[in-house]
Amino acid sequence: MTWPAFAGPSTLAGVASTRQKHLNQALMRIPRRAESTDRDSLAATYVSAGSFSAMLHSTDHQILYGRRGTGKTHALLHLADLLTQTGDLAVYVDLRTIGSTGGMYGDPTVNLAQRGTHLLVDTLEAMHDELLSTAVEGDGREALLPALDALAEAATSVQVVGQVEHETKVGDAFSQHHGVDLATRGARISAGRQETANRESRLRRSGVEQHHVVFGPLNRALRDIVRALDGSRLWLMLDEWSSVPLDLQPLLADLVRRGILPVAGLTVKIAAIERRCQFRTGPSSGGDYMGIEVGADAAHAASLDDFLLFDHVRSRAQDFFGQLFHNHVRLRLTEMLGEPQSDVLDEMFKRGAFNELVRAAEGVPRDAINIAALAAQNARDEPIGIADIRRAARDWFLRDKQTAIMAHETARQTLRLLVDEVVGRRGSRTFLISHMACPDTIDELYDARVLHVLRRGVVDRRHPGEMYDAFAVDFGCYVSLMLDGGLSGQPADKSGWLTSARGIPPAGFNFAREAIDPAKLA
């Protein structure tokens, strides 16, 4: 933007205010979810976390872990675009949109194998639809059509078992009349009898129409599809795996392992929430297991939570989120003003405010975007300050994270006890929990992003046989206690966590002070 000639102080101030308003509006317009964003914008705004992109581009079957908001969908869609540019074929399936009528997947009264097979069939049908669209609309992909017919037939064959009733009637009927007529002068007398008989045979069958997958035809159909690609690789991306009911996941994984993974020239990528998935059960009495063995059948690609865990290398966090907001804001600002924009990050934040945003994000990009948008609303036409970030972090915690656990009484009670103990009594934000003593409610709070893992596998030198995970109470929760008067004086987290120069906990942990047994909280 060019400055007006001979502009006075008031004019310059007005222009600067307008410019800042545009910057804050650009922050508020950043999309929160990747699936609602066009592919060009996804490509323009994608930021790689370290070597993550290179690992994900491997042709190995992989499982991508990450909590909600860490960018799993964005990463898969970005990978799909890269593969398309190189001539490979990527099929993206959102498992949240896969389903049968009547809520069969979540109905415990329906046989587990039946629900799992329906789920696989629905997944294959979604894959078939994507491939069909490519074959019809894409140039040079017409050779897929015969193989797609075989895939549809293999995925949708049915057999009859169960409770539906079918009835077939076979029969005939006959009628006979016997009688005599007598006629006299002026009168007529008739007498007789009518005989009617029916013969009927009924055949009754009971059952339900159930999809039945035969792995041989399925494998042949998929191999034919890969051969029709003429040297290109087929990539199947299964997103939102954790939306599948937990009891169905091993069965679906087993069907994927037996029906899809053995096909040469086909790569499967699965995006899941680590503590909300179960890929395997068993082994059974026969020695076999059901599902996918992580590390053997499918490699554990990486955890985005680990790549975005910035407690040790603060500069990595600043670089990642700096590039993230630079890409998004520059794109939105260019759309708003109609001209290319240069580096805008320094214009948006007052001194120290961006570092505070990085702390508040806790390594979750979607939380960073939401907190920044709320802070921009607070700042209006001024640059965003530290106070704006803290208020926004508190509001985001109260309206999103805390609300998510309000319906779970056990998780809500556990969080209250943890805050009382860690923040209230110990004046800290971090704590340690033994692997052997970690209850399911901690996993729920971690999934809800009100607790965050600082480090995994911490070892107490005095007891090396026991492993701990280091957690931290959410920034928004901690700051809300400060802003609302829940904490007196300066925060005492690691000798002044909020006011320290590095803004992170030190490398070591005091086991005597920070180890917690959740069962003893009261």
Side-chain angles (χ1 to χ4, degrees):
M1 178 177 292
T2 57
W3 298 102
F6 306 108
S10 60
T11 303
L12 292 176
V15 172
S17 177
T18 302
R19 168 75 172 178
Q20 189 62 50
K21 185 180 296 185
H22 286 150
L23 289 169
N24 290 346
Q25 289 176 354
L27 277 174
M28 290 184 278
R29 293 184 182 184
I30 297 176
R32 273 50 164 185
R33 301 195 64 89
E35 60 267 31
S36 62
T37 308
D38 63 272
R39 293 296 182 90
D40 291 338
S41 296
L42 287 176
T45 57
Y46 181 76
V47 181
S48 174
S51 59
F52 173 77
S53 292
M55 295 180 64
L56 190 61
H57 211 145
S58 167
T59 56
D60 293 332
H61 305 302
Q62 293 175 332
I63 298 172
L64 166 62
Y65 289 125
R67 290 180 295 170
R68 296 176 181 87
T70 51
K72 301 184 298 296
T73 298
H74 197 164
L76 289 181
L77 293 176
H78 179 67
L79 176 61
D81 283 341
L82 294 179
L83 296 171
T84 301
Q85 295 172 15
T86 61
D88 284 350
L89 181 57
V91 175
Y92 172 83
V93 177
D94 186 344
L95 291 175
R96 293 175 303 175
T97 65
I98 302 299
S100 300
T101 57
M104 173 181 288
Y105 300 156
D107 187 355
T109 64
V110 180
N111 179 270
L112 182 68
Q114 181 182 350
R115 289 189 289 144
T117 306
H118 271 281
L119 180 60
L120 178 65
V121 170
D122 289 341
T123 303
L124 292 174
E125 287 181 346
M127 181 179 175
H128 174 273
D129 292 343
E130 290 292 326
L131 288 168
L132 182 61
S133 298
T134 301
V136 173
E137 301 173 3
D139 296 334
R141 300 294 192 186
E142 296 82 2
L144 289 172
L145 292 174
L148 288 178
D149 292 338
L151 175 62
E153 182 178 354
T156 58
S157 61
V158 297
Q159 62 180 358
V160 177
V161 292
Q163 300 301 322
V164 172
E165 209 174 69
H166 298 275
E167 185 177 78
T168 303
K169 296 181 180 180
V170 179
D172 55 19
F174 68 91
S175 177
Q176 291 182 338
H177 178 77
H178 303 277
V180 61
D181 287 337
L182 297 176
T184 61
R185 183 181 301 174
R188 182 171 181 159
I189 300 174
S190 178
R193 64 176 182 170
Q194 177 78 27
E195 293 183 359
T196 301
N198 290 303
R199 289 194 298 268
E200 184 177 80
S201 174
R202 294 188 179 187
L203 176 62
R204 186 174 288 182
R205 295 187 303 165
S206 295
V208 296
E209 288 189 340
Q210 179 186 23
H211 291 288
H212 175 66
V213 178
V214 181
F215 292 112
L218 174 60
N219 274 263
R220 287 193 295 271
L222 290 174
R223 287 197 298 268
D224 289 343
I225 289 174
V226 172
R227 280 194 292 268
L229 294 178
D230 194 22
S232 297
R233 176 169 287 271
L234 176 62
W235 300 68
L236 174 61
M237 302 179 183
L238 301 178
D239 197 7
E240 301 291 347
W241 177 275
S242 301
S243 65
V244 177
L246 201 62
D247 61 338
L248 286 183
Q249 291 181 21
L251 185 56
L252 176 59
D254 194 62
L255 295 175
V256 171
R257 172 172 69 102
R258 298 175 185 274
I260 301 177
L261 296 187
V263 179
L266 190 155
T267 296
V268 177
K269 305 288 183 180
I270 299 174
I273 300 173
E274 183 174 8
R275 301 180 186 235
R276 291 289 185 185
C277 58
Q278 183 180 1
F279 285 101
R280 171 184 166 178
T281 60
S284 63
S285 58
D288 195 11
Y289 62 90
M290 175 183 292
I292 293 174
E293 185 174 2
V294 179
D297 301 313
H300 177 186
S303 170
L304 269 173
D305 288 310
D306 292 339
F307 270 96
L308 299 175
L309 184 60
F310 302 123
D311 63 317
H312 302 306
V313 187
R314 179 61 57 180
S315 61
R316 188 174 70 182
Q318 294 170 347
D319 291 342
F320 175 86
F321 283 106
Q323 190 64 49
L324 177 74
F325 282 102
H326 170 77
N327 291 351
H328 277 286
V329 172
R330 184 176 62 175
L331 179 64
R332 304 301 160 191
L333 207 60
T334 300
E335 294 173 352
M336 294 165 59
L337 301 180
E339 58 186 35
Q341 300 296 310
S342 58
D343 189 9
V344 295
L345 191 63
D346 291 338
E347 299 181 62
M348 292 187 291
F349 299 95
K350 295 179 181 178
R351 183 175 181 179
F354 180 72
N355 291 344
E356 196 76 353
L357 175 60
V358 173
R359 298 176 185 177
E362 301 282 11
V364 182
R366 189 181 300 160
D367 286 346
I369 292 172
N370 281 286
I371 292 171
L374 291 173
Q377 288 180 330
N378 294 334
R380 298 185 181 180
D381 57 354
E382 295 288 334
I384 297 172
I386 291 178
D388 298 319
I389 295 294
R390 292 185 179 180
R391 286 198 299 270
R394 176 196 60 186
D395 294 344
W396 180 241
F397 168 78
L398 294 175
R399 74 170 60 176
D400 177 80
K401 300 180 181 182
Q402 182 172 268
T403 302
I405 64 171
M406 289 302 292
H408 304 278
E409 176 62 28
T410 305
R412 186 164 56 90
Q413 180 71 2
T414 300
L415 177 63
R416 185 187 68 80
L417 293 174
L418 280 173
V419 171
D420 286 347
E421 177 64 27
V422 176
V423 180
R425 296 189 181 94
R426 306 187 184 192
S428 182
R429 193 178 77 104
T430 60
F431 59 96
L432 295 161
I433 293 183
S434 169
H435 286 183
M436 300 179 63
C438 189
D440 292 339
T441 51
I442 296 296
D443 291 343
E444 293 180 16
L445 295 174
Y446 175 74
D447 290 343
R449 309 184 315 284
V450 297
L451 295 181
H452 306 276
V453 174
L454 293 178
R455 194 170 303 129
R456 303 177 188 274
V458 181
V459 178
D460 185 355
R461 294 182 180 179
R462 297 172 302 174
H463 304 92
E466 190 167 8
M467 305 286 287
Y468 292 81
D469 282 341
F471 288 88
V473 177
D474 182 66
F475 179 98
C477 175
Y478 194 68
V479 172
S480 68
L481 296 172
M482 292 177 54
L483 296 179
D484 297 335
L487 295 178
S488 59
Q490 289 293 324
D493 183 21
K494 300 289 187 177
S495 301
W497 167 75
L498 282 175
T499 57
S500 68
R502 297 179 62 209
I504 57 176
F509 291 91
N510 185 332
F511 284 85
R513 179 171 178 253
E514 297 190 59
I516 286 179
D517 184 355
K520 296 181 180 180
L521 293 177

